[in-house]
Amino acid sequence: MPTTASRTVLSLAALGLLAAGCGDGSKGSGASEPAPDTRPRALEVAKAWDGSSAAETWRAGYYPLGDPVQLPDGAFHSGDDKEAYLTQNFTLRGDLPRTSRKDGKVTWRDGDSLTLPLMEARATYDRLDGSDGPGPRLTVTGAKLGETTLATSRGPATVPAWLFTIEGYDTPLKRVALGPSRPPKPPIGPVGSPTAELWELDRVVGVAADGRSVTVRAHHGACDDGPAVDVLETDGGVVLSGYMVGTRDGLCTSQLLAENVTVELDRPLGDRLLLDAFTGRPVRGAE
């Protein structure tokens, strides 16, 4: 599967996980071993969700699959601006508006809609500005309430968004002003501890405009050749199975990495459930 070069490093100790394989620098047999058979578990997850009350609840709710932030046109003007965004380093210059509206409406292309609590501009800004550290910053000078389009578990939807004016940019940075619906209790439990054969996926990065591919953040260890993701498609769901490839024998440093992996689908995702074989749950989106 194609992957990006960008990686995220997390603490294995914080997750209570042990890295699988490697560490002594010698190549084990993992690199030439056949890929694990992920199909039995994927089928088990697909069958558990098919026709379940959890699936009905999921299809009736709002669960975003795309990035809740839409960058200004031409972003970014400089490496410093990009670093500021990635490190969540923002400065607020001026006041943010308040609104008397308490609710916002999600509207799908088929006309269905759902009303959810609307986030105030300040609360939405706080989700952008997650750092008080040193380094370059982006300056927000104002905001107004508007809309944006976002991929969801039920297809593209129009949702309320706060449009933040960024110093130096002609168009606003848009940030979705709604949180997802409460997820249902899954009809199947997780596998247990991660192994080289199956790892939990991190999150959905995005869905292609035509629905024919999905990009997810997939975990792997510090001493392997990266992640891979298998796909099982049914009429009601798409089950993704993440695992590591090219593992090495021996001890490994305590790091958990993540890379973007894009998987191609035989037909558009549509309103089919996007499921994680390891957890038995829908793959979460960014919030």
Side-chain angles (χ1 to χ4, degrees):
M1 297 293 175
T3 63
T4 68
S6 61
R7 296 188 176 193
T8 299
V9 181
L10 305 173
S11 168
L12 274 173
L15 295 175
L17 302 175
L18 292 176
C22 82
D24 61 1
S26 62
K27 195 80 169 179
S29 60
S32 60
E33 289 178 354
D37 183 7
T38 60
R39 184 176 175 82
R41 169 63 181 178
L43 282 171
E44 185 181 11
V45 171
K47 290 178 180 178
W49 279 88
D50 185 29
S52 68
S53 59
E56 292 180 7
T57 299
W58 188 265
R59 289 195 174 93
Y62 163 65
Y63 302 100
L65 297 181
D67 193 330
V69 176
Q70 181 179 327
L71 297 174
D73 293 342
F76 292 96
H77 291 343
S78 67
D80 281 352
D81 283 1
K82 184 175 183 180
E83 180 183 346
Y85 174 73
L86 293 176
T87 56
Q88 296 184 294
N89 246 357
F90 285 76
T91 294
L92 177 60
R93 185 178 298 163
D95 297 325
L96 293 175
R98 297 180 63 86
T99 176
S100 59
R101 287 178 55 183
K102 299 299 182 183
D103 297 317
K105 182 179 289 187
V106 183
T107 305
W108 285 273
R109 288 180 176 176
D110 62 3
D112 283 351
S113 63
L114 184 65
T115 299
L116 293 168
L118 181 74
M119 281 192 285
E120 290 283 351
R122 181 71 208 203
T124 308
Y125 170 80
D126 287 343
R127 296 200 174 198
L128 292 172
D129 182 25
S131 173
D132 291 324
R137 290 180 172 272
L138 288 170
T139 299
V140 173
T141 60
K144 65 179 182 180
L145 190 61
E147 294 180 334
T148 190
T149 300
L150 182 71
T152 77
S153 59
R154 296 167 60 180
T158 300
V159 297
W162 284 102
L163 281 52
F164 294 98
T165 304
I166 306 295
E167 190 174 83
Y169 290 85
D170 295 331
T171 59
L173 179 152
K174 300 180 181 181
R175 209 293 178 186
V176 172
L178 299 175
S181 301
R182 183 176 180 178
K185 181 179 179 180
I188 187 172
V191 168
S193 299
T195 68
E197 285 73 33
L198 198 61
W199 277 66
E200 179 180 356
L201 297 171
D202 181 32
R203 60 183 171 85
V204 181
V205 176
V207 179
D210 62 2
R212 296 297 294 265
S213 66
V214 177
T215 301
V216 294
R217 292 290 282 176
H219 289 139
H220 67 104
C223 305
D224 55 66
D225 293 334
V229 179
D230 285 346
V231 184
L232 174 75
E233 299 190 46
T234 67
D235 289 342
V238 173
V239 185
L240 304 181
S241 303
Y243 59 94
M244 297 182 298
V245 295
T247 57
R248 303 164 180 83
D249 296 330
L251 297 176
C252 186
T253 56
S254 295
Q255 288 178 313
L256 183 64
L257 305 175
E259 289 187 28
N260 287 357
V261 178
T262 298
V263 296
E264 305 294 333
L265 304 179
D266 291 335
R267 56 189 176 92
L269 178 64
D271 66 350
R272 292 184 294 169
L273 279 74
L274 190 64
L275 302 166
D276 183 349
F278 180 86
T279 64
R281 298 173 178 267
V283 187
R284 70 181 183 90
E287 299 178 5

